[in-house]
Amino acid sequence: MMKKIAIQKGLDDLKNNLKSRGYEVYDINENKEVEAIIYMADGYSIPYIDSFISMDTGFEINRNKDVLLINATGKTLEEIEYIINNKLYSPLFE
């Protein structure tokens, strides 16, 4: 099954590479149902964070609609693809 990815504006090379590998890729502002959202952040601010449902909004979160948030900063295409396909991040603390 083709994976659906939302990606931050300005990451055109990554977007094109993911498309060429068979992913359905959308702009993050298109509000599509996706399996992963890829963005760039400096560790202090996350763009578009207001667009994501937070734990304190009162929405029922048991909807089986998990979405990976992937910070592309410092990651290669292969690392991002590994995260998408395995739904696995490296440990936060090593």
Side-chain angles (χ1 to χ4, degrees), residues 3-61:
K3 304 239 187 231
K4 297 178 182 178
I5 312 297
I7 194 163
Q8 178 181 334
K9 193 175 219 171
L11 299 176
D12 297 327
D13 288 343
L14 182 57
K15 180 178 184 176
N16 292 332
N17 284 323
L18 289 170
K19 279 184 176 182
S20 73
R21 292 184 180 214
Y23 296 91
E24 258 183 73
V25 184
Y26 302 100
D27 183 75
I28 201 168
N29 293 320
E30 288 184 70
N31 293 320
K32 298 282 188 177
E33 191 171 298
V34 295
E35 297 171 70
I37 297 172
I38 302 173
Y39 64 94
M40 297 283 281
D42 59 9
Y44 298 100
S45 63
I46 300 174
Y48 308 102
I49 194 68
D50 295 336
S51 302
F52 308 136
I53 296 174
S54 87
M55 297 285 261
D56 62 357
T57 59
F59 289 107
E60 176 63 45
I61 58 173

